[in-house]
Amino acid sequence: MTDDITPTADGAEVSPDEAAGRARLSRRGLLGLAIGGGVAGLALGGVGGYALGAARVGEHDAGTPYAFFGAHQAGITTPVQEHLHFAAFDMMPRSDRDDLIELLQDWTYASARMTQGLEVSATGAVGGPAEQPPDDTGEALGLPASHLTVTIGFGPTLFENEDGDRYGIRDRRPPLLQKLPPFLGDDLDPASSGGDLCIQVCADDPQVAVHAIRNLSRIAFGRAKLRWSQLGFGKTSRTTAQQQTPRNLFGFKDGTANILADDTAGLATHVWVASGDGADWMAGGSYLVARKIAMLIETWDRVQLGEQERIIGRDKGQGAPLSGGEEATAPDFSSAAIDTASHVRLAHAAQNDGVRILRRGFNYVDGNNTLGRLDAGLFFLSYQRSPEQFIALQRTLSTDLLNEYIRHVGSGLWAVPPGAAEGSYVGAPLFA
Amino acid sequence: MTDDITPTADGAEVSPDEAAGRARLSRRGLLGLAIGGGVAGLALGGVGGYALGAARVGEHDAGTPYAFFGAHQAGITTPVQEHLHFAAFDMMPRSDRDDLIELLQDWTYASARMTQGLEVSATGAVGGPAEQPPDDTGEALGLPASHLTVTIGFGPTLFENEDGDRYGIRDRRPPLLQKLPPFLGDDLDPASSGGDLCIQVCADDPQVAVHAIRNLSRIAFGRAKLRWSQLGFGKTSRTTAQQQTPRNLFGFKDGTANILADDTAGLATHVWVASGDGADWMAGGSYLVARKIAMLIETWDRVQLGEQERIIGRDKGQGAPLSGGEEATAPDFSSAAIDTASHVRLAHAAQNDGVRILRRGFNYVDGNNTLGRLDAGLFFLSYQRSPEQFIALQRTLSTDLLNEYIRHVGSGLWAVPPGAAEGSYVGAPLFA
């Protein structure tokens, strides 16, 4: 993030529209973030040319920031980062359509800045007047963009809930955007399920990820409220062949068979919503499923190595299918070495009529319970062209040997709209 | 961590003593970790020469592993890593002196291995028989040591609790190792306070840190139980001048005036226990204070920038004292620019008869409460030659302007013994 910002040095970034927008937002009791014409005025989007020279590179390898604007939202096929901060929000009771649109504009504005290593507004943490609270909370000052991505989704309840059609978008609801059906093994806690909106933040520095969710929550003040949130680490999937296959907290490699970012055909078939899929405003978007999966790791740790491998269907060291070969070798499900109820078999496209999903999960540890057991597991995230893909896979997994060692304690489904064009905002097609 | 270990390839590490020790531990229903004479047999200690070539370097910058054995335990003056997993343990009800000694030997053995990028035992996650649970849980396979340090401490209750002198060490208790006195603003939760033992694990990869606490908890099975634990990130202190001063979740630089690792005289005066300090077995050790400090960040975020700076006594951008200069400039407390109740003044050695401590804290975020506020703050860790240093500073801070925005919700004090020599174990002088 930029450090040392002074109003003078940074003033060149502020367009008249921004200044006007800022005043308007301030009157609404919000944070005073510039929005509206200011987004175009800032010429964000492509990575080049913008004021990134001002972003200090700290001790981390910053890498090149990921573009926020584009055909698809970043954070889906983007190489999976090291850290996750996920947050679900509910709109405030008396909020209206204008509030929702303005919130999405504000989130777009701030996210576009933060992903480029900038503070949430031109005045940021230290460039504003001493008599006002700073726009930016400041803990990411001096840190690089750290491959930050911000991905925004709309839950079923945004389109209709017990209060009805609050935002005049009920008739634009994708038919398949419904609360997920119950699955065997569900032990869902409402306190980590659902939400009118969600934001998936990923970054290689946890402080940068936390800063983003904190500031986006703050920006939502008066319009939406944080419902639940989850931190994660140690990505359990990869989206490029260059990334090593990571391990989950059962100690096994996870995500070997994921859809990779360069598999254009696979993404078109399995991940991106197409025109004609049922809601045209979603074309170029995707559906995000989140499942908080508690792992009974102490129990698992007492299972014999051979039994662990039978349950997973792969060897623990290399991740090779038990039918032989190496990690990348396709499993031979005709081999007796792979149990018919093993996880690798039941989760495989070959056993699910070719259904595949793009996985993007993270490990989590939330302290421990009173028995002294770590509260740990997998925060499963997957992107798919239709919620039906996840539903079909999850139903197949109902006989998974692994089920004895896991519990699904959180759940959510969100429609993730396509990426925004420069000058527009995430979700604009929904309101067009 | 080493991958692909086979009993054959790795067998050369296993001494006859180890094999014997392994059998003995197995009979006790423990994990089957080699210990006893095996520690010396492994020739751990210095970084050179050992089987580190087998440790795979993943996507992270591994760096050179830190030595586990030495005059002081690692993890005190060691350059502060990116991630923390802290755990407090209670001994099991019927455990005896031999259990405690054996536990410390087992922890030493496993920690010495893990800090060098190895698994907890020679057979590890995949090198043992298929008919037994693996010794190592496996999630760090393929990851480098990641600057892992493991630091072990003894709480007041280890020496005496309501059950009396369980381990025959009451008369060796350092006189000042007592439960910390109450302080103004304490709102302590027993569920995040105290503990017979503590382990501070730091690493640059959270998966490596979590793996260490998880496996050390598992190794403690039947002897000690995890009482509470805390994950942290975004170190809020530095221990070398090369490290940038990090920022806490109030957005301010933190730890500017810390004692640094190359300040031998400062460490001798303020951090390391000397012979004659009251418990000779502690010579070369230190006292660790942990305080979980919840920050009311939403309230703080609404405070005017000028008021925030007045409270802290430094400017938010540079971290310079309000009396002028740059971050490294000594504050001029005769200047009216620094409020007499500002944090920088009250925490400064000049206002505390020269008392200083070595700070090693981390930021934390534990989800959010039902009001939609992030449960966030500072997990404060400090090392000092005597608990009285912390007590004096904390009493001075009773009038700190910052107190309106923080609450102390967890607390603990532990005697951190000196480092172990090769062939010995952490805490051995206590039982000599």
Side-chain angles (χ1 to χ4, degrees), chain A residues 46-378:
Chain A
V47 168
Y50 193 45
L52 290 172
R56 276 211 193 148
V57 176
E59 293 165 35
H60 301 270
D61 172 19
T64 305
Y66 293 128
F68 180 79
F69 296 106
H72 309 294
Q73 288 195 63
I76 302 173
T77 60
T78 309
V80 186
Q81 300 95 323
E82 295 295 325
H83 296 277
L84 169 79
H85 198 175
F86 185 90
F89 294 83
D90 283 333
M91 292 296 291
M92 295 295 278
R94 282 171 296 282
S95 58
D96 62 18
R97 182 182 174 103
D98 287 344
D99 291 324
L100 175 57
I101 291 173
E102 197 178 55
L103 174 61
L104 293 170
Q105 290 172 334
D106 286 358
W107 275 356
T108 296
Y109 175 83
S111 299
R113 289 186 59 94
M114 289 191 288
T115 55
Q116 306 309 302
L118 301 168
E119 298 172 272
V120 295
S121 77
T123 52
V126 299
E131 301 74 25
Q132 288 183 13
D135 283 351
D136 188 292
T137 58
E139 71 270 26
L141 276 173
L143 299 178
S146 307
H147 287 146
L148 177 69
T149 55
V150 177
T151 315
I152 298 170
F154 305 149
T157 51
L158 188 70
F159 295 83
E160 184 172 19
N161 72 357
E162 60 274 16
D163 294 328
D165 182 12
R166 296 172 288 171
Y167 309 109
I169 53 177
R170 177 166 50 191
D171 61 354
R172 311 209 65 187
R173 176 179 181 157
L176 295 170
L177 185 67
Q178 307 285 343
K179 188 178 175 185
L180 289 171
F183 298 104
L184 206 71
D186 275 5
D187 185 18
L188 302 182
D189 180 355
S192 51
S193 299
D196 291 341
L197 298 156
C198 80
I199 302 181
Q200 171 201 281
V201 161
C202 300
D204 286 335
D205 186 322
Q207 185 125 334
V208 170
V210 161
H211 171 265
I213 287 293
R214 176 184 182 182
N215 281 269
L216 294 172
S217 301
R218 189 169 174 242
I219 287 168
F221 181 77
R223 295 173 284 186
K225 195 181 84 167
L226 189 60
R227 176 183 170 94
W228 59 277
S229 55
Q230 181 67 51
L231 270 74
F233 63 88
K235 59 181 184 285
T236 59
S237 303
R238 57 173 185 173
T239 50
T240 73
Q242 291 70 47
Q243 291 187 303
Q244 286 186 20
T245 312
R247 289 179 187 271
N248 60 32
L249 292 182
F250 285 149
F252 278 78
K253 289 186 181 177
D254 209 335
T256 296
N258 211 18
I259 304 173
L260 303 184
D262 60 359
D263 179 6
T264 310
L267 292 171
T269 305
H270 303 292
V271 178
W272 302 129
V273 176
S275 305
D277 276 1
D280 280 353
W281 64 268
M282 272 290 288
S286 191
Y287 291 90
L288 168 61
V289 168
R291 303 284 286 186
K292 184 169 181 176
I293 304 175
M295 288 171 153
L296 310 180
I297 57 173
E298 287 83 1
T299 311
W300 176 260
D301 288 346
R302 291 191 199 120
V303 175
Q304 300 175 358
L305 174 61
E307 175 69 1
Q308 288 186 2
E309 294 182 331
R310 183 178 77 91
I311 291 167
I312 301 294
R314 294 181 180 274
D315 89 282
K316 195 165 189 173
Q318 289 301 317
L322 294 184
S323 51
E326 301 180 341
E327 184 193 341
T329 307
D332 174 6
F333 296 119
S334 70
S335 160
I338 299 187
D339 196 290
T340 54
S342 66
H343 183 72
V344 68
R345 178 171 173 278
L346 293 177
H348 200 277
Q351 305 302 317
N352 290 281
D353 297 324
V355 166
R356 298 177 69 194
I357 57 178
L358 187 156
R359 297 187 51 179
R360 215 172 201 285
F362 290 81
N363 297 320
Y364 74 85
V365 175
D366 290 347
N368 56 275
N369 65 22
T370 52
L371 296 174
R373 293 183 175 168
L374 289 174
D375 182 0
L378 170 67

Side-chain angles (χ1 to χ4, degrees), chain A residues 3-4 56-60 80 82-83 85 125-134 136-143 205-207 210 213-214 217-218 221 225-231 233-236 242-253 297-298 300-309 315-318 363 365-374, chain B residues 3-4 56-60 80 82-83 85 125-134 136-143 205-207 210 213-214 217-218 221 225-231 233-236 242-253 297-298 300-309 315-318 363 365-374:
Chain A
D3 213 334
D4 315 351
R56 276 211 193 148
V57 176
E59 293 165 35
H60 301 270
V80 186
E82 295 295 325
H83 296 277
H85 198 175
V126 299
E131 301 74 25
Q132 288 183 13
D136 188 292
T137 58
E139 71 270 26
L141 276 173
L143 299 178
D205 186 322
Q207 185 125 334
V210 161
I213 287 293
R214 176 184 182 182
S217 301
R218 189 169 174 242
F221 181 77
K225 195 181 84 167
L226 189 60
R227 176 183 170 94
W228 59 277
S229 55
Q230 181 67 51
L231 270 74
F233 63 88
K235 59 181 184 285
T236 59
Q242 291 70 47
Q243 291 187 303
Q244 286 186 20
T245 312
R247 289 179 187 271
N248 60 32
L249 292 182
F250 285 149
F252 278 78
K253 289 186 181 177
I297 57 173
E298 287 83 1
W300 176 260
D301 288 346
R302 291 191 199 120
V303 175
Q304 300 175 358
L305 174 61
E307 175 69 1
Q308 288 186 2
E309 294 182 331
D315 89 282
K316 195 165 189 173
Q318 289 301 317
N363 297 320
V365 175
D366 290 347
N368 56 275
N369 65 22
T370 52
L371 296 174
R373 293 183 175 168
L374 289 174
Chain B
D3 213 334
D4 314 352
R56 276 211 196 148
V57 176
E59 292 164 36
H60 301 270
V80 186
E82 295 295 324
H83 297 275
H85 197 175
V126 299
E131 301 73 27
Q132 288 183 14
D136 188 292
T137 58
E139 70 271 24
L141 277 174
L143 299 177
D205 185 321
Q207 183 124 336
V210 161
I213 288 293
R214 176 184 181 181
S217 301
R218 191 169 172 242
F221 182 77
K225 195 182 84 168
L226 189 61
R227 176 184 169 94
W228 59 279
S229 56
Q230 181 67 51
L231 272 71
F233 63 87
K235 57 181 185 287
T236 59
Q242 290 71 44
Q243 292 187 301
Q244 287 187 20
T245 312
R247 289 179 186 270
N248 60 31
L249 292 182
F250 286 150
F252 279 78
K253 290 186 183 178
I297 58 173
E298 286 83 0
W300 176 261
D301 289 344
R302 292 191 197 118
V303 174
Q304 300 174 359
L305 174 61
E307 174 69 0
Q308 288 186 1
E309 295 182 331
D315 90 283
K316 195 165 190 174
Q318 289 300 316
N363 298 319
V365 174
D366 291 345
N368 56 275
N369 65 22
T370 52
L371 295 174
R373 292 183 176 169
L374 288 174

Side-chain angles (χ1 to χ4, degrees), chain B residues 199-420:
Chain B
I199 301 181
Q200 172 201 280
V201 161
C202 299
D204 285 336
D205 185 321
Q207 183 124 336
V208 170
V210 161
H211 170 264
I213 288 293
R214 176 184 181 181
N215 281 269
L216 294 171
S217 301
R218 191 169 172 242
I219 287 167
F221 182 77
R223 295 174 284 186
K225 195 182 84 168
L226 189 61
R227 176 184 169 94
W228 59 279
S229 56
Q230 181 67 51
L231 272 71
F233 63 87
K235 57 181 185 287
T236 59
S237 303
R238 57 172 184 173
T239 51
T240 73
Q242 290 71 44
Q243 292 187 301
Q244 287 187 20
T245 312
R247 289 179 186 270
N248 60 31
L249 292 182
F250 286 150
F252 279 78
K253 290 186 183 178
D254 208 335
T256 297
N258 211 19
I259 304 173
L260 302 184
D262 60 359
D263 179 6
T264 310
L267 293 171
T269 305
H270 302 292
V271 177
W272 303 128
V273 176
S275 305
D277 275 2
D280 279 352
W281 64 269
M282 273 291 287
S286 191
Y287 291 89
L288 168 60
V289 168
R291 302 285 286 185
K292 184 168 181 177
I293 304 175
M295 289 172 152
L296 311 180
I297 58 173
E298 286 83 0
T299 311
W300 176 261
D301 289 344
R302 292 191 197 118
V303 174
Q304 300 174 359
L305 174 61
E307 174 69 0
Q308 288 186 1
E309 295 182 331
R310 184 177 76 91
I311 291 167
I312 301 294
R314 293 182 179 272
D315 90 283
K316 195 165 190 174
Q318 289 300 316
L322 294 184
S323 49
E326 300 180 340
E327 183 192 342
T329 308
D332 174 6
F333 297 118
S334 70
S335 159
I338 298 187
D339 196 290
T340 53
S342 65
H343 183 72
V344 69
R345 179 172 173 277
L346 293 176
H348 199 277
Q351 304 304 316
N352 290 280
D353 298 323
V355 167
R356 298 178 70 194
I357 57 177
L358 186 156
R359 297 187 51 179
R360 214 173 202 283
F362 291 80
N363 298 319
Y364 75 84
V365 174
D366 291 345
N368 56 275
N369 65 22
T370 52
L371 295 174
R373 292 183 176 169
L374 288 174
D375 181 359
L378 170 68
F379 192 72
F380 172 98
L381 294 168
S382 72
Y383 287 89
Q384 44 269 313
R385 184 172 168 183
S386 163
E388 291 184 315
Q389 291 161 255
F390 173 80
I391 294 168
L393 285 170
Q394 192 58 24
R395 286 191 172 139
T396 306
L397 290 175
S398 65
T399 57
D400 191 344
L401 291 169
L402 199 53
N403 291 345
E404 191 173 336
Y405 305 95
I406 61 178
R407 262 183 298 122
H408 286 241
V409 297
S411 177
L413 172 68
W414 293 271
V416 173

